[in-house]
Amino acid sequence: MSQRIHQAEGGYPKDHVSEDFTVTNQHHHSASIKDQLATWHANRGDKSFLRAMIPSIRGTPYGETPTTKNPLKVIAMVSPFGWLMFFSGWFCWTMDGFDFFAVSLTLDSLAEQFEVKPAKITTAITLTLLFRSLGAVIFGMLSDRYGRKWPLVSVMILIMGFELGSGFCNTYTQFLVVRSFFGASLRVWGAAAQTSLENVPAEARGLLSGILQQGYAFGYLLAAVINLTVVQYSKPHWRSLYFIGAGLSFLAAVVRACLPESRQYIMAREEAKASGISAKEQTRLFGRELVAMFKTNWLRWIWAVCVMTFFNFFSHGSQDLYPTYLKTSKGLSAKAASKATIISNVGAIIGGTIAGYASQYVGRRFAILACIAWTAASIPCWILPTSFAGLSAGGFLVQFGVQGAWGIVPVMLAETSPPAFRTLFGGLSYQLGNMASSGASQIEADAGATLKIKGTQTPDYAAIFGILLGAVMAFGVVCIILGPEADGARFEQAKVAYQRGGGETDPTELFNREKPNHEHIEKTIPAEHNENELR
C-alpha cells in the first residue's frame, strides 16, 4: 500500500479516504504492561526508558522541524477557521467555570436563603463533582462516535436549563437535586478541548492550550465581577448570577451550533460514504474499537485518573472555599473578597497562558513540575498576610502556579490519549479525577470546624489550605514523573473511533517521520470540497 497524506493548513489530513478502514501498525498491541510501556514515551528517540522518565527541557525531537518561539508568529499560524473553532470551545469551557463557581461565590447568600450552615452548601459542590463522571461517559462516547459539534451543543443547552433551575430554587433540598443534575450535565471539557485544539496547527497548541484552560479561570473572574456589581444591586440578588449564567450558556450553544464539525470527522464521513460503510456498521466498529482501546491502554487509564485527581485537588483545594477563607479567616468584607478573587484569577489566566506557551519548547512534564515548584514557594505569601494587598498578591502568585500547571493539561491529555478516543479518555479521566477530589471543599469545611485560629472560634483555613496543598503537590510530582509523554503528537491525523484499527493506534504513530507508522489507502476528494462545505 502506498501512502499519500496531504496536509491542509494547520496540519490536517486533506484528501485521504480509507477503502477498508484498516491501519498498518509497526508493532503488535497487547494488554501486557511491557507492550504498553514500549509506547509510554512516544518520541523518546534513543533514550532508555528510565532516562525518558526524567523530565528535561525538550528541545527539538527527531522528525520535527524547529519552530519559531515568537508568540506573535505562533498566533499567526492559526487560520481564521481555526480561531473560530478555538473560540467556540473556549467559550463553552468559560461558561463551565462560570456556572460551577457561582455556588462558591454565593455560598453565604445560599446558606442564609436556605437557613443552613455554609458547610452544608458545600455538599452541592461535592454532588456536582460526583455526578460529572456519568455525563463524561455518555457524552464522551457520543463525541468520539458522532463528532464534537452536537454533543457539545446539547451539553450547553442542558447547563442553561439547570442554571435556570438553580436560580428558582427555594429550599435546600431543591438546590441539591438541581445541582446533582447540573453535575451530570457538566461534561464540557472533553469536547470543548478537542474542538479547540484539533483544528489548529500542532506548533500553536501549547500556547492555545494555556489560553483554553484559563477559560475556566476567566469564567470564575466573570462570575466574581457580576457578583460584585449586578448581584449586589439587583432585586433577585444571588439568583441573578444563575440567570445570567443560563443566558450566556445558551449563547455558547448558539455559537457552537453555527460552526461546522471538526475536519477530522468530516473527512471520516467522506471515507465512510466512499466505502459504503453504513451507520450501523460504523457503530459496530466503534464498539469493537472501544473494547480494543480499553484492553491495550488500561495502564494509561490508571495514570490519567491519578494525575487528574492531583490536578483537581490542586485547583478545587485552592479555589472553592477561597472567598469564604478571605471573609472568615482573614476578616475581609464580601466586596474585598470578591476583588481579591478577581485578582487571583488574573494571575491564573496569565500563568496558564505563559506555562502553556513555554511547554511547547521545554516539554509538558517539565513545565508542569516548574509550576508545582512555583506554587510551593508561593504558599507562605498566600496564607500569612492579613491585609487586602498581601492576600491579593499571594492569591495572584498561587493561582499563577496552579493554573499555570493546568494550562498544559488540555494538550498533554490530547497527546497522550489513545488518539481515536481523545474525548472519552480526556473527559472521563478528568471527571474521575474530579470525583476523587470532590470532597476537597467538604474536607476543608469540616477541618474548619475543628482547627481554629488560636484563641478564637474562627476556622483556620490558612493552615488547612497549606497542609492540603502540600500533600497534593507531593502526590502530583510523583504522578508527573511516572507519566507518559507524547509532546508534538499529530493527533489530528489519527483515525476516528469507528474506523478499523482506531482503538489500537497509539501516540508513537503520530509523529512526522521519514517512515510513518500508519497509512491510509487514498481516494481523492474533489478539489471543490472546501471549508465552505464543512457544515
Side-chain angles (χ1 to χ4, degrees):
M1 283 187 292
S2 62
Q3 179 191 33
R4 187 159 58 92
I5 298 178
H6 297 274
Q7 298 300 309
E9 183 178 8
Y12 305 101
K14 191 64 177 177
D15 53 56
H16 69 276
V17 179
S18 172
E19 291 181 343
D20 61 0
F21 285 11
T22 59
V23 61
T24 303
N25 296 319
Q26 297 299 315
H27 59 270
H28 175 68
H29 293 267
S30 76
S32 71
I33 293 177
K34 180 180 178 180
D35 198 46
Q36 292 183 63
L37 291 181
T39 61
W40 199 248
H41 298 112
N43 205 20
R44 78 188 196 210
D46 58 359
K47 293 180 182 177
S48 68
F49 182 84
L50 291 178
R51 174 63 187 87
M53 281 182 62
I54 304 172
S56 58
I57 294 180
R58 178 173 178 248
T60 303
Y62 171 77
E64 289 190 17
T65 302
T67 57
T68 178
K69 293 182 175 62
N70 185 331
L72 296 179
K73 291 183 178 180
V74 171
I75 290 172
M77 292 179 181
V78 185
S79 68
F81 171 76
W83 278 117
L84 285 172
M85 296 295 283
F86 174 82
F87 173 76
S88 69
W90 176 89
F91 191 11
C92 290
W93 182 231
T94 294
M95 292 317 304
D96 185 309
F98 181 107
D99 299 333
F100 178 79
F101 284 111
V103 176
S104 297
L105 291 167
T106 58
L107 191 146
D108 290 336
S109 297
L110 292 169
E112 181 180 351
Q113 174 74 39
F114 302 137
E115 299 179 347
V116 296
K117 294 181 179 180
K120 282 275 191 178
I121 301 300
T122 61
T123 302
I125 298 175
T126 302
L127 289 173
T128 297
L129 296 176
L130 280 172
F131 280 94
R132 280 181 170 186
S133 297
L134 174 62
V137 173
I138 297 171
F139 280 79
M141 292 176 65
L142 289 174
S143 294
D144 284 331
R145 165 61 183 90
Y146 295 103
R148 319 303 191 197
K149 180 176 179 177
W150 294 113
L152 187 53
V153 172
S154 300
V155 167
M156 298 313 298
I157 295 295
L158 285 172
I159 289 177
M160 176 202 71
F162 290 122
E163 277 291 272
L164 280 175
S166 298
F168 283 113
C169 288
N170 291 310
T171 69
Y172 176 63
T173 301
Q174 289 174 354
F175 191 74
L176 288 184
V177 171
V178 171
R179 297 310 290 185
S180 296
F181 281 108
F182 179 82
S185 71
L186 210 60
R187 293 120 356 208
V188 173
W189 190 85
Q194 298 313 315
T195 297
S196 294
L197 296 181
E198 67 193 9
N199 294 288
V200 300
E203 294 79 5
R205 284 178 183 151
L207 174 61
L208 295 189
S209 174
I211 298 173
L212 166 68
Q213 187 61 32
Q214 294 328 302
Y216 204 65
F218 184 79
Y220 192 174
L221 187 154
L222 182 61
V225 170
I226 293 174
N227 187 58
L228 187 63
T229 54
V230 177
V231 170
Q232 303 304 317
Y233 305 105
S234 65
K235 187 175 180 180
H237 196 51
W238 62 268
R239 301 177 191 273
S240 302
L241 191 61
Y242 295 89
F243 296 153
I244 292 171
L248 291 174
S249 296
F250 178 73
L251 180 59
V254 171
V255 170
R256 184 64 192 96
C258 291
L259 292 172
E261 181 58 83
S262 289
R263 285 169 167 164
Q264 189 180 19
Y265 273 84
I266 293 172
M267 305 309 291
R269 289 170 187 169
E270 291 286 347
E271 293 184 356
K273 183 179 179 181
S275 304
I277 305 296
S278 67
K280 183 177 180 180
E281 175 67 7
Q282 292 171 38
T283 300
R284 186 186 69 80
L285 288 170
F286 174 82
R288 190 174 71 180
E289 297 304 326
L290 179 66
V291 172
M293 182 273 295
F294 276 111
K295 180 180 178 181
T296 58
N297 287 280
W298 60 266
L299 192 62
R300 199 173 292 261
W301 274 98
I302 293 173
W303 166 79
V305 173
C306 288
V307 80
M308 294 315 298
T309 297
F310 152 65
F311 273 109
N312 282 291
F313 260 116
F314 203 28
S315 58
H316 290 297
S318 63
Q319 288 180 336
D320 291 1
L321 291 189
Y322 183 63
T324 302
Y325 154 67
L326 293 175
K327 291 180 285 187
T328 303
S329 297
K330 297 299 182 178
L332 296 187
S333 66
K335 189 173 184 179
S338 292
K339 289 180 179 178
T341 299
I342 291 170
I343 292 170
S344 71
N345 279 283
V346 171
I349 293 169
I350 295 173
T353 302
I354 292 175
Y357 163 75
S359 75
Q360 193 75 25
Y361 310 104
V362 304
R364 314 300 185 202
R365 293 190 299 152
F366 186 90
I368 290 172
L369 291 175
C371 290
I372 293 174
W374 173 286
T375 305
S378 301
I379 284 180
C381 301
W382 189 48
I383 64 178
L384 295 180
T386 56
S387 67
F388 170 79
L391 290 166
S392 297
F396 181 97
L397 292 173
V398 164
Q399 290 306 318
F400 185 98
V402 171
Q403 295 302 320
W406 262 104
I408 303 161
V409 169
V411 67
M412 181 184 72
L413 272 187
E415 289 171 340
T416 58
S417 295
F421 290 89
R422 295 191 304 279
T423 304
L424 176 62
F425 183 89
L428 182 55
S429 60
Y430 190 123
Q431 303 307 346
L432 287 174
N434 249 331
M435 178 183 289
S437 66
S438 61
S441 58
Q442 197 75 50
I443 290 170
E444 291 170 339
D446 290 344
T450 55
L451 186 57
K452 308 288 187 180
I453 297 174
K454 189 175 181 180
T456 72
Q457 289 301 307
T458 303
D460 191 357
Y461 286 124
I464 294 167
F465 285 177
I467 293 169
L468 180 64
L469 282 193
V472 166
M473 286 187 288
F475 176 67
V477 168
V478 174
C479 288
I480 297 302
I481 290 175
L482 295 179
E485 194 169 85
D487 295 4
R490 306 275 175 159
F491 49 77
E492 79 283 356
Q493 295 180 4
K495 287 180 175 291
V496 300
Y498 56 81
Q499 293 178 308
R500 288 193 181 97
E504 293 189 11
T505 305
D506 62 66
T508 62
E509 301 174 47
L510 300 175
F511 290 91
N512 287 342
R513 298 188 176 102
E514 292 180 1
K515 294 181 179 180
N517 287 339
H518 68 286
E519 57 188 0
H520 295 284
I521 302 176
E522 180 190 75
K523 282 187 178 180
T524 303
I525 294 176
E528 63 269 17
H529 185 87
N530 54 40
E531 283 187 8
N532 293 329
E533 292 178 309
L534 297 183
R535 291 182 179 272

